[in-house]
Amino acid sequence: MEIKHDYNVQLFKEKGFIRKQCKECNQYFWTLDPKRETCGDSPCDEYSFIGSSITNKEYTYNEMVKEFLNFFDKNGHTPIKRYPVSARRWRDDILLTIASIAVFQPWVTKGIVKPVANPLVIAQPCIRLNDIDNVGRTGRHMTCFTMGGHHAFNTDEDFKYWTDRTVELCYNFFTNLGIDGSSITFIESWWEGGGNAGPCYEVITHGVELATLVFMQYEKTEQGDYIEMPLKIVDTGYGLERFVWASKGTPTVYEAVFGDIIGKLMDDANINMNDIDPKILAESATLAGLMDIENVGDLRILRQKVAEKLNLDVNELDSILSPIENIYAIADHTRCLAFMLGDGIVPSNVKDGYLARLLVRKTLRYIKNVGLSLSLKDIVAMQLENLKEIYPELMDMKEYIMDVLEEEEHKYIQTINKGKGAVERIAKSKDEITLDDLIELYDSKGLPPEVVRDIVEEINKKGSKNNKNNKNNKGKGNKTIKITVPDNFYTIVAERHEEKKEDSKSEKGENTAEKSTISINLDDIPETELLFYSNPYQKEVEAKILKIIGNVVILDKTVFYPEGGGQKYDIGLIGNKKIISVQKNNNGIVCHTVENTDGLNEGDTIIAKLNWENRLNLMRNHTATHIINAAASKVLGKHIWQTGSNVESNKARLDITHYKRITREEIKEIEKIANQIVLDAIPVKSTVMGRNEAEQKYGFKIYQGGVVPGNVLRILDIEGVDVEACGGTHCQNTSEVGYIKILKTERIQDGVERLEYTSGINSVNEVSQMEDILLNASSIVGVPCENLPKTVNRFFEEWKEQKKIIEELHKKIGELEKRNLNDKFEKVGKYDLLVEKVEGAPKELMSIADNLVNEKDNSIVVLLNNSGYILCKCGEKVEIKMGELLRKIAKGGGKDKMAQGKCADDIETLKNKVVSEL
């Protein structure tokens, strides 16, 4: 279709704006200044606000957020609360909240759900890591920024406003701040993202872009075509930190937003800004704006340009700017971490947890670089203090934030200590550490590339020193390992992880058991009536068979719950046929797979009967899942988030985010709270609510079980305990759940803990089995149960002592055998060879071989016992690899100096084979 848009809005006519074409970039723009020839944006224009404010006053960050919200509130927009920075709380296609419009995707933007207000205004903290390596260096890039957005969602029936009012509001907000209208330019542009598109204006003043006004009106197909959207959306983005920057005129955005924190960091690092020419920072920021930096490799060019302009040596300039840039990055990254951790993200090796850990470790590296005595916890605590006026909810998470930062710093130190071996192994086999190697070392071992580079430099220095000391080296081992760390390394890894698709099965907590695939034509079948919602205690129903396809039976109504939301399907009988599986397709049709359909006919009315005991166990275990999730949150913290569940009849499991292993004391406390909830006999209610109503009333915790599509949600409410959107079957009172017993916990991946548990009579059975084990163990040891721990501990200590004695005996046997075997070596070529049959276990043979080769560094020892165990070991000067030798003479393998395996030959045959290989 032909795309048309009239950029000549009403404000331009009223104020006398002129449309011009930029002589530098050829873009069209609107201005009040008849003399202007450039669009006003970088790189066509330099920053002209640095050194002087362009607003009527200097604003702090908190003041600017309030100013923005108040202005649009007064102009007919309803302010709404910010959303979490983890977009996974309400959607499963992106990890982080990257723009204010992201909070309305996909439900509102697709017209499925009405907006909570219309028009509305929001100040949304956003995180984008695609420019993370630019942060601190360019003067304007931030990982975490606040996008002020005023949004209108227009339909034919309910039209709010479009281009004219949007531009007018923007212009009035700018001038209300005191920005001269003649300095503002509106650049005509085009926006695309997330499958949508539309024309836009980029709003510029004094060389810096402060806002973008998008008119989202098209959907873009996979073929590249544009389709008119029924919903026309005003999607605006105002960079509130940049407004603060423009109001203060500081050399960079960092001083403007983090001034007090940066001052403390500079003092701690013994950097006196008074000793640094302010022209250096101003010139660097100005030229960065002119360069349109796309990758950090361009920063080297930027550094050179600044050096030339200031008549400085580039290395001298780098030594001045690098510590300051590190401190800028620390200030930015720690605020980003305050939001990420404050919104409950748990650092891990996957998804948004990976990105949080990336920021933690990058910041720790910067802290070390500049030699700060302040810890990461100290700096994040400063950020929380600064943010508490606008975002008090972050301060509520302070204890968790401090704990997780301490845990992450400890893990980072462990990672560095263990990392040297991993790098050395790679260096042994290749001459260059590549980008892929660096990414693998970072992803699998957590090693930052700078640390890898330091280790490689140590290896190269050590190799060079050894070569100098060893004149007879003849070129062996003197290779130099090459390594190049790209300046935008963290951008590369962040983008890779942001682009990874979610595992919808684990994210939505679905049963990991394989589901049957129903690929049959059901277009003529109406949606199945689900009786288990209206009456979860109904045990049977008289239903009509609408269709039979193979072994699949479709009824007009059903009491059988189809598998979903982590809960196993119900079982029972249709007529006299046993149910094998129950699934529901996307059209709401329930498909019952039975053992066979003999005697069942379409149109028949039959009795469908539940296996009630199985259903009751499922209801108890599913209700227990909600109870345990709530109890875990009370014990472990508000960051707890369900990442998966599996509810079966005999037991259930729940996967939750947590930054360390759950202790035994914590398990006992979770179990205690859960059973208290059972004893409190709290009603369990389910209601159907609109999505907006549910989100506004309960928040995003309702999506613990995964993102639920649609405008209408089924909300399960255990009053004062847990509220979630859930489609499973549940008890009507917590007392019906019975005794909850946590059976075990395990870490299934970094940052995710799994709890396995039972309820009701199954818990009684499990406890009985545990008692049986305890009583049997007591009987074997011959002491009462209460004395069992003490007795077992005594036995264990005695066993350890006996083990030491046995090891000493093995050693003495080895020394004795050494004396017996020392005279049996034969000279074969240049090696001393011993091939003997020896009585003893593998450990004894190892001890004997160690004793023999330690005294003869050119010896090869091959020992065989009566069980067919074979051991090959050699001295330091032997060039033959024992692993290769063993594979030729027997079965097994090993390393260069020692190998072991199985051998069926007699000793003479074995000896002949060994001699033939030497």
Side-chain angles (χ1 to χ4, degrees), residues 718-876:
I718 306 174
E719 187 175 351
V721 175
D722 185 60
V723 181
E724 291 184 36
C726 185
T729 58
H730 306 86
C731 301
Q732 292 187 336
N733 190 288
T734 60
S735 63
E736 299 171 22
V737 174
Y739 174 39
I740 295 173
K741 180 63 186 171
I742 297 176
L743 304 177
K744 66 176 183 178
T745 66
E746 62 178 319
R747 171 143 288 197
I748 60 168
Q749 69 181 51
D750 189 31
V752 178
E753 293 283 304
R754 171 168 289 171
L755 295 91
E756 190 174 292
Y757 46 92
T758 60
S759 63
I761 196 67
N762 286 321
S763 293
V764 176
N765 294 336
E766 290 285 348
V767 172
S768 293
Q769 289 177 26
M770 293 176 190
E771 285 181 339
D772 288 343
I773 294 169
L774 185 63
L775 290 168
N776 287 339
S778 298
S779 175
I780 292 168
V781 177
V783 297
C785 288
E786 59 268 25
N787 292 338
L788 189 59
K790 183 179 179 181
T791 304
V792 170
N793 185 61
R794 178 169 58 83
F795 284 177
F796 180 67
E797 291 300 322
E798 290 174 356
W799 172 81
K800 284 197 297 183
E801 191 62 33
Q802 289 172 355
K803 185 181 177 185
K804 289 180 183 177
I805 295 170
I806 291 169
E807 287 174 351
E808 284 295 321
L809 288 173
H810 279 308
K811 186 177 179 182
K812 289 179 180 179
I813 290 169
E815 291 172 353
L816 181 61
E817 285 292 341
K818 180 191 76 171
R819 288 196 291 269
N820 294 336
L821 296 172
N822 239 342
D823 296 333
K824 295 186 178 183
F825 277 91
E826 298 178 23
K827 197 73 173 179
V828 179
K830 60 180 180 178
Y831 301 119
D832 292 327
L833 173 67
L834 174 69
V835 181
E836 279 292 323
K837 191 166 188 178
V838 178
E839 292 299 322
K843 277 192 175 181
E844 292 177 56
L845 269 65
M846 289 248 191
S847 177
I848 294 167
D850 285 343
N851 277 286
L852 289 168
V853 300
N854 283 344
E855 291 190 6
K856 294 177 179 287
D857 54 12
N858 70 330
S859 63
I860 297 174
V861 175
V862 180
L863 301 179
L864 179 70
N865 70 7
N866 286 333
S867 302
Y869 169 78
I870 183 173
L871 173 70
C872 299
K873 195 166 179 67
C874 70
E876 287 299 320

Side-chain angles (χ1 to χ4, degrees), residues 616-632 642 645 647-648 651-654 670 674-675 677-678 684 716 718 721-722 724 729-731 733-734 736-742 755 757-760 763:
L616 188 57
N617 285 336
L618 287 168
M619 290 166 63
R620 285 170 172 161
N621 282 342
H622 201 149
T623 310
T625 299
H626 290 268
I627 293 171
I628 286 179
N629 196 31
Q642 178 179 328
S645 68
V647 178
E648 298 191 2
K651 65 179 65 173
R653 67 172 187 252
L654 173 69
I670 292 168
N675 282 294
I677 292 168
V678 170
V684 180
L716 184 87
I718 306 174
V721 175
D722 185 60
E724 291 184 36
T729 58
H730 306 86
C731 301
N733 190 288
T734 60
E736 299 171 22
V737 174
Y739 174 39
I740 295 173
K741 180 63 186 171
I742 297 176
L755 295 91
Y757 46 92
T758 60
S759 63
S763 293

